[in-house]
Amino acid sequence: MRIGFGYDAHRLKEGRKCILCGVEVPCEFGPDGHSDADVPVHALMDAMLGALALGDIGIHFPDSDESFYMADSLKLLREVYALVTKRGYTLGNADITIILQSPRLSRYIEQMRIKLSDALETDLGNISVKATTEEKMGFTGDGTGIASTAAVLLITV
Ligand code: MG
């Protein structure tokens, strides 16, 4: 078994699409970034890479590389997961927390879990997505940004 942890944060910008775990959340602002800036998926990829000591997404998908401009992070996730399976591991489970003041994400959580379980070809029960605010404290609290954490367990097949 291998355990991994990932963290990511992005600035929120007006007019940007708000794509979280592959689901477009209706919102006047979204995470800014080079790719689609899907913050929880970035944290999840870093957790997977971390579990196998394979570096981080900045090494695998540098934002200086134009081919990753507005990249679909779910596609990048599948690429990272291919590295995992190539090494003889499969996902045991993943637990993601999205930290955002608004909008409320509860009604999108199931769709997010389905998107991730489809991308990783794993049971829905292996994917947990949670959302929290930081009670108006700090950069997520004042709406400057969004953050996410992810923990994964990889198991040998
Ligand atoms: Mg990121």
Side-chain angles (χ1 to χ4, degrees):
M1 284 190 291
R2 305 281 297 195
I3 193 167
F5 180 76
Y7 172 80
D8 194 25
H10 281 243
R11 191 173 283 279
L12 290 171
K13 192 177 172 189
E14 221 176 295
R16 279 278 302 196
K17 274 188 182 174
C18 186
I19 297 170
L20 303 175
C21 297
V23 175
E24 190 175 340
V25 175
C27 193
E28 316 82 75
F29 48 83
D32 196 16
H34 185 66
S35 67
D36 64 5
D38 191 329
V39 183
V41 172
H42 290 187
L44 180 58
M45 288 192 279
D46 262 354
M48 285 185 177
L49 292 168
L52 296 180
L54 293 174
D56 58 41
I57 56 170
I59 292 169
H60 291 266
F61 310 113
D63 61 10
S64 55
D65 187 333
E66 277 309 306
S67 66
F68 301 126
Y69 179 68
M70 291 311 285
D72 175 356
S73 292
L74 282 185
K75 193 174 154 266
L76 305 182
L77 174 65
R78 284 191 289 267
E79 286 181 34
V80 166
Y81 194 53
L83 297 176
V84 168
T85 54
K86 212 165 81 185
R87 280 164 177 77
Y89 287 88
T90 187
L91 180 72
N93 69 298
D95 186 16
I96 293 169
T97 299
I98 303 169
I99 307 158
L100 179 68
Q101 187 62 42
S102 74
R104 285 199 163 272
L105 299 177
S106 50
R107 56 196 286 212
Y108 305 104
I109 294 289
E110 276 314 291
Q111 291 174 58
M112 292 179 188
R113 293 178 63 218
I114 291 166
K115 283 270 187 188
L116 294 179
S117 67
D118 284 352
L120 299 170
E121 297 173 11
T122 190
D123 288 348
L124 198 56
N126 295 333
I127 304 288
S128 161
V129 178
K130 315 190 295 298
T132 186
T133 73
E134 289 186 300
E135 307 230 331
K136 299 195 171 163
M137 297 181 290
F139 72 84
T140 69
D142 67 13
T144 305
I146 173 174
S148 183
T149 64
V152 299
L153 193 68
L154 303 180
I155 54 179
T156 45
V157 186

Short mmCIF file of all heavy atoms in Angstrom, two decimals, residues 5 13 61:
data_model
loop_
_atom_site.label_atom_id
_atom_site.label_comp_id
_atom_site.label_asym_id
_atom_site.label_seq_id
_atom_site.Cartn_x
_atom_site.Cartn_y
_atom_site.Cartn_z
N PHE A 5 -0.71 12.48 -0.41
CA PHE A 5 -1.49 13.66 -0.04
C PHE A 5 -1.19 14.78 -1.03
O PHE A 5 -0.03 14.99 -1.40
CB PHE A 5 -1.14 14.11 1.39
CG PHE A 5 -1.92 15.32 1.82
CD1 PHE A 5 -3.25 15.19 2.19
CD2 PHE A 5 -1.34 16.57 1.83
CE1 PHE A 5 -3.99 16.31 2.57
CE2 PHE A 5 -2.07 17.70 2.20
CZ PHE A 5 -3.40 17.56 2.58
N LYS A 13 -11.21 34.20 -10.36
CA LYS A 13 -11.26 35.33 -11.28
C LYS A 13 -12.65 35.42 -11.92
O LYS A 13 -13.20 34.38 -12.32
CB LYS A 13 -10.20 35.13 -12.37
CG LYS A 13 -9.95 36.35 -13.23
CD LYS A 13 -8.84 36.04 -14.22
CE LYS A 13 -8.67 37.16 -15.22
NZ LYS A 13 -7.75 36.78 -16.30
N PHE A 61 3.36 18.24 -16.00
CA PHE A 61 2.59 19.10 -16.91
C PHE A 61 2.97 20.57 -16.68
O PHE A 61 2.18 21.34 -16.13
CB PHE A 61 1.08 18.92 -16.68
CG PHE A 61 0.63 17.49 -16.66
CD1 PHE A 61 0.16 16.91 -15.49
CD2 PHE A 61 0.67 16.71 -17.80
CE1 PHE A 61 -0.26 15.58 -15.46
CE2 PHE A 61 0.27 15.39 -17.79
CZ PHE A 61 -0.20 14.82 -16.62
#
